[in-house]
Amino acid sequence: MSTASPHSSELLQAFTAELEQLLTQCADLLQQTWCQENARSLFRIFHNIKGTAQLLEFAEIAQAAQLAETLARSEEANCETELKRIHHYLSDALESLHNNTGQKKAYVSSRAEQLINHINRKQALQNSEQLALFSLVGKQLTLLCQADRKQQYLSLNKLSQASKIMDIENMEAWLNELEHQIDTQTINTEKLVANLVLHPRFGQAFQQHIAQESV
Amino acid sequence: MSALHVLLVDDSPTAALFLQAKLDSAAQGITELAVQRASSGEEALQLAEKTGFDLAILDVVLPGVDGFHVCKQLKQQRSTCQVALLTGLQTDADKQQGVDAGCDAYIIKPIDDLRLSQLVKLAYIRAQTVNHS
């Protein structure tokens, strides 16, 4: 069978050896304290695994690696647990390649499906929670100008709680600005919105939802 | 006509092996190939200083300098070199980076045989034109 075929033994051997090396690098990085540089290295590793798994038509491995690649690219510390889980799955997949037994492959496939469903559900939940915050911000900003001071403080409290629960980073300065405006009764929603849309990760989402709420 | 000089840049040995086999297959009946492989951007640029490549197929995500940087440098050194970026990065921003780097083709993995064949043919025709001028 030519080397150009995804199932050639030469390619399979090369892939198995490469996967082993990459997973060892991955394990070392996941044992260290999470930092941006390590996240970037992990991104490269999973990107590589994804690429070669796709070439050799290992769909489950490629899919798991793609998930991990996306998580690592986000560079968020709370992805670490999921990355460790994916690493564990890929190590199982590697063992399956070494052993090359049909039963083990089926087990690894079903575990992959469970893993991917779990991560997708968690991400969907996180996305919907974050959407709820954007919507809440939009509504509260609309109400701020019409509300009395007591209502304004209640709004501030709601927004503060929501951003903590939904784990939206970089909101403290904005919340402090809002509090200052309420204290001095100098509500300036334009300024508040302008600052929100500068949010490094969710700027666009805020802009979109605030625009929707004001329609 | 001498062999077509091809540079393959990928830090995955498996991907490079696979791609080389595909290239050999794609070039059959068109031209002989002289393929050199690099596993990093720096290594690729060092090879390019010694060899005038007719075709370069670059992965984008590389340790050290990325494929975009290598593409820019290769085009500056030798504008007749056909440079194809072969990558899993699919966002519009990534594609724009490829265009800005001056690539002749931005191909999302996996590359199909027809596309590869077209790349080889184009590089061959261009190299012939350069040699005869």
Side-chain angles (χ1 to χ4, degrees), chain B residues 33-55:
Chain B
L33 297 180
V35 180
Q36 292 188 63
R37 278 155 48 170
S39 58
S40 72
E42 287 87 352
E43 194 186 339
L45 293 173
Q46 280 168 11
L47 288 174
E49 274 172 24
K50 298 173 196 163
T51 307
F53 289 106
D54 303 304
L55 172 64

mmCIF file of all heavy atoms in Angstrom, chain B residues 33-55:
data_model
loop_
_atom_site.group_PDB
_atom_site.id
_atom_site.type_symbol
_atom_site.label_atom_id
_atom_site.label_comp_id
_atom_site.label_asym_id
_atom_site.label_seq_id
_atom_site.Cartn_x
_atom_site.Cartn_y
_atom_site.Cartn_z
ATOM 1 N N LEU B 33 10.865 15.659 -9.319
ATOM 2 C CA LEU B 33 10.892 16.577 -8.178
ATOM 3 C C LEU B 33 12.181 16.416 -7.389
ATOM 4 O O LEU B 33 12.682 15.309 -7.243
ATOM 5 C CB LEU B 33 9.732 16.281 -7.227
ATOM 6 C CG LEU B 33 8.302 16.453 -7.727
ATOM 7 C CD1 LEU B 33 7.329 16.100 -6.596
ATOM 8 C CD2 LEU B 33 8.042 17.867 -8.194
ATOM 9 N N ALA B 34 12.693 17.518 -6.881
ATOM 10 C CA ALA B 34 13.791 17.483 -5.901
ATOM 11 C C ALA B 34 13.229 18.146 -4.654
ATOM 12 O O ALA B 34 13.091 19.364 -4.605
ATOM 13 C CB ALA B 34 15.000 18.247 -6.427
ATOM 14 N N VAL B 35 12.848 17.309 -3.685
ATOM 15 C CA VAL B 35 12.111 17.806 -2.517
ATOM 16 C C VAL B 35 13.035 17.919 -1.319
ATOM 17 O O VAL B 35 13.808 17.000 -1.011
ATOM 18 C CB VAL B 35 10.933 16.859 -2.166
ATOM 19 C CG1 VAL B 35 10.174 17.381 -0.951
ATOM 20 C CG2 VAL B 35 9.990 16.719 -3.358
ATOM 21 N N GLN B 36 12.963 19.049 -0.654
ATOM 22 C CA GLN B 36 13.661 19.197 0.627
ATOM 23 C C GLN B 36 12.615 19.511 1.691
ATOM 24 O O GLN B 36 11.651 20.234 1.420
ATOM 25 C CB GLN B 36 14.702 20.324 0.555
ATOM 26 C CG GLN B 36 15.863 19.978 -0.365
ATOM 27 C CD GLN B 36 16.973 21.004 -0.281
ATOM 28 O OE1 GLN B 36 17.583 21.194 0.768
ATOM 29 N NE2 GLN B 36 17.225 21.686 -1.381
ATOM 30 N N ARG B 37 12.836 18.957 2.887
ATOM 31 C CA ARG B 37 11.866 19.146 3.965
ATOM 32 C C ARG B 37 12.479 19.949 5.106
ATOM 33 O O ARG B 37 13.662 19.809 5.408
ATOM 34 C CB ARG B 37 11.382 17.785 4.482
ATOM 35 C CG ARG B 37 10.298 17.193 3.618
ATOM 36 C CD ARG B 37 10.170 15.713 3.669
ATOM 37 N NE ARG B 37 10.145 15.103 4.980
ATOM 38 C CZ ARG B 37 9.850 13.820 5.171
ATOM 39 N NH1 ARG B 37 9.557 13.066 4.149
ATOM 40 N NH2 ARG B 37 9.872 13.290 6.371
ATOM 41 N N ALA B 38 11.638 20.760 5.697
ATOM 42 C CA ALA B 38 12.063 21.504 6.886
ATOM 43 C C ALA B 38 10.981 21.348 7.938
ATOM 44 O O ALA B 38 9.790 21.264 7.601
ATOM 45 C CB ALA B 38 12.270 22.973 6.553
ATOM 46 N N SER B 39 11.404 21.320 9.211
ATOM 47 C CA SER B 39 10.400 21.150 10.271
ATOM 48 C C SER B 39 10.171 22.432 11.063
ATOM 49 O O SER B 39 9.445 22.448 12.053
ATOM 50 C CB SER B 39 10.815 20.022 11.225
ATOM 51 O OG SER B 39 12.077 20.323 11.765
ATOM 52 N N SER B 40 10.810 23.521 10.591
ATOM 53 C CA SER B 40 10.567 24.807 11.248
ATOM 54 C C SER B 40 10.746 25.922 10.217
ATOM 55 O O SER B 40 11.352 25.711 9.154
ATOM 56 C CB SER B 40 11.531 25.024 12.406
ATOM 57 O OG SER B 40 12.828 25.279 11.902
ATOM 58 N N GLY B 41 10.238 27.093 10.571
ATOM 59 C CA GLY B 41 10.369 28.233 9.679
ATOM 60 C C GLY B 41 11.824 28.621 9.465
ATOM 61 O O GLY B 41 12.258 28.923 8.353
ATOM 62 N N GLU B 42 12.589 28.594 10.579
ATOM 63 C CA GLU B 42 14.004 28.996 10.490
ATOM 64 C C GLU B 42 14.778 28.055 9.565
ATOM 65 O O GLU B 42 15.579 28.494 8.729
ATOM 66 C CB GLU B 42 14.650 28.988 11.885
ATOM 67 C CG GLU B 42 14.212 30.124 12.796
ATOM 68 C CD GLU B 42 12.954 29.820 13.600
ATOM 69 O OE1 GLU B 42 12.301 28.783 13.365
ATOM 70 O OE2 GLU B 42 12.611 30.646 14.455
ATOM 71 N N GLU B 43 14.502 26.754 9.732
ATOM 72 C CA GLU B 43 15.182 25.760 8.898
ATOM 73 C C GLU B 43 14.819 25.974 7.424
ATOM 74 O O GLU B 43 15.680 25.881 6.548
ATOM 75 C CB GLU B 43 14.764 24.343 9.342
ATOM 76 C CG GLU B 43 15.645 23.245 8.798
ATOM 77 C CD GLU B 43 15.123 21.847 9.131
ATOM 78 O OE1 GLU B 43 14.328 21.714 10.091
ATOM 79 O OE2 GLU B 43 15.516 20.915 8.425
ATOM 80 N N ALA B 44 13.544 26.281 7.183
ATOM 81 C CA ALA B 44 13.075 26.521 5.813
ATOM 82 C C ALA B 44 13.826 27.689 5.185
ATOM 83 O O ALA B 44 14.274 27.614 4.030
ATOM 84 C CB ALA B 44 11.576 26.805 5.816
ATOM 85 N N LEU B 45 13.975 28.755 5.940
ATOM 86 C CA LEU B 45 14.644 29.946 5.397
ATOM 87 C C LEU B 45 16.131 29.685 5.160
ATOM 88 O O LEU B 45 16.706 30.185 4.185
ATOM 89 C CB LEU B 45 14.430 31.144 6.329
ATOM 90 C CG LEU B 45 12.968 31.628 6.400
ATOM 91 C CD1 LEU B 45 12.792 32.708 7.466
ATOM 92 C CD2 LEU B 45 12.491 32.159 5.051
ATOM 93 N N GLN B 46 16.725 28.878 6.010
ATOM 94 C CA GLN B 46 18.143 28.524 5.786
ATOM 95 C C GLN B 46 18.294 27.727 4.494
ATOM 96 O O GLN B 46 19.217 27.957 3.706
ATOM 97 C CB GLN B 46 18.675 27.684 6.971
ATOM 98 C CG GLN B 46 19.060 28.505 8.170
ATOM 99 C CD GLN B 46 19.292 27.647 9.403
ATOM 100 O OE1 GLN B 46 19.367 26.420 9.340
ATOM 101 N NE2 GLN B 46 19.394 28.287 10.546
ATOM 102 N N LEU B 47 17.379 26.793 4.278
ATOM 103 C CA LEU B 47 17.431 25.995 3.041
ATOM 104 C C LEU B 47 17.221 26.893 1.819
ATOM 105 O O LEU B 47 17.873 26.725 0.790
ATOM 106 C CB LEU B 47 16.351 24.906 3.054
ATOM 107 C CG LEU B 47 16.575 23.724 3.996
ATOM 108 C CD1 LEU B 47 15.362 22.801 4.011
ATOM 109 C CD2 LEU B 47 17.815 22.931 3.584
ATOM 110 N N ALA B 48 16.302 27.853 1.963
ATOM 111 C CA ALA B 48 15.967 28.735 0.831
ATOM 112 C C ALA B 48 17.145 29.635 0.449
ATOM 113 O O ALA B 48 17.235 30.100 -0.694
ATOM 114 C CB ALA B 48 14.738 29.574 1.163
ATOM 115 N N GLU B 49 18.035 29.877 1.397
ATOM 116 C CA GLU B 49 19.216 30.708 1.072
ATOM 117 C C GLU B 49 20.163 29.963 0.145
ATOM 118 O O GLU B 49 20.898 30.568 -0.632
ATOM 119 C CB GLU B 49 19.949 31.098 2.352
ATOM 120 C CG GLU B 49 19.380 32.356 2.991
ATOM 121 C CD GLU B 49 19.968 32.647 4.352
ATOM 122 O OE1 GLU B 49 21.097 32.194 4.644
ATOM 123 O OE2 GLU B 49 19.285 33.323 5.136
ATOM 124 N N LYS B 50 20.135 28.618 0.242
ATOM 125 C CA LYS B 50 21.068 27.819 -0.570
ATOM 126 C C LYS B 50 20.423 27.319 -1.864
ATOM 127 O O LYS B 50 21.114 27.078 -2.848
ATOM 128 C CB LYS B 50 21.549 26.600 0.225
ATOM 129 C CG LYS B 50 22.314 26.954 1.475
ATOM 130 C CD LYS B 50 22.618 25.712 2.307
ATOM 131 C CE LYS B 50 23.030 26.083 3.714
ATOM 132 N NZ LYS B 50 22.944 24.956 4.635
ATOM 133 N N THR B 51 19.115 27.154 -1.843
ATOM 134 C CA THR B 51 18.431 26.586 -3.016
ATOM 135 C C THR B 51 17.341 27.529 -3.494
ATOM 136 O O THR B 51 16.561 28.013 -2.686
ATOM 137 C CB THR B 51 17.761 25.238 -2.646
ATOM 138 O OG1 THR B 51 18.715 24.395 -2.050
ATOM 139 C CG2 THR B 51 17.150 24.567 -3.860
ATOM 140 N N GLY B 52 17.280 27.745 -4.793
ATOM 141 C CA GLY B 52 16.194 28.550 -5.348
ATOM 142 C C GLY B 52 14.995 27.645 -5.595
ATOM 143 O O GLY B 52 14.962 26.879 -6.548
ATOM 144 N N PHE B 53 14.027 27.680 -4.696
ATOM 145 C CA PHE B 53 12.893 26.772 -4.825
ATOM 146 C C PHE B 53 11.884 27.297 -5.840
ATOM 147 O O PHE B 53 11.650 28.495 -5.954
ATOM 148 C CB PHE B 53 12.207 26.569 -3.461
ATOM 149 C CG PHE B 53 13.037 25.758 -2.503
ATOM 150 C CD1 PHE B 53 13.681 26.356 -1.437
ATOM 151 C CD2 PHE B 53 13.167 24.393 -2.672
ATOM 152 C CE1 PHE B 53 14.462 25.612 -0.558
ATOM 153 C CE2 PHE B 53 13.932 23.632 -1.802
ATOM 154 C CZ PHE B 53 14.588 24.244 -0.755
ATOM 155 N N ASP B 54 11.283 26.358 -6.564
ATOM 156 C CA ASP B 54 10.240 26.707 -7.527
ATOM 157 C C ASP B 54 8.867 26.650 -6.864
ATOM 158 O O ASP B 54 7.933 27.348 -7.267
ATOM 159 C CB ASP B 54 10.265 25.727 -8.712
ATOM 160 C CG ASP B 54 11.625 25.699 -9.390
ATOM 161 O OD1 ASP B 54 12.078 26.785 -9.805
ATOM 162 O OD2 ASP B 54 12.222 24.615 -9.490
ATOM 163 N N LEU B 55 8.750 25.772 -5.874
ATOM 164 C CA LEU B 55 7.464 25.594 -5.192
ATOM 165 C C LEU B 55 7.720 25.374 -3.712
ATOM 166 O O LEU B 55 8.615 24.607 -3.340
ATOM 167 C CB LEU B 55 6.728 24.377 -5.786
ATOM 168 C CG LEU B 55 5.455 23.886 -5.096
ATOM 169 C CD1 LEU B 55 4.348 24.944 -5.146
ATOM 170 C CD2 LEU B 55 4.944 22.597 -5.743
#
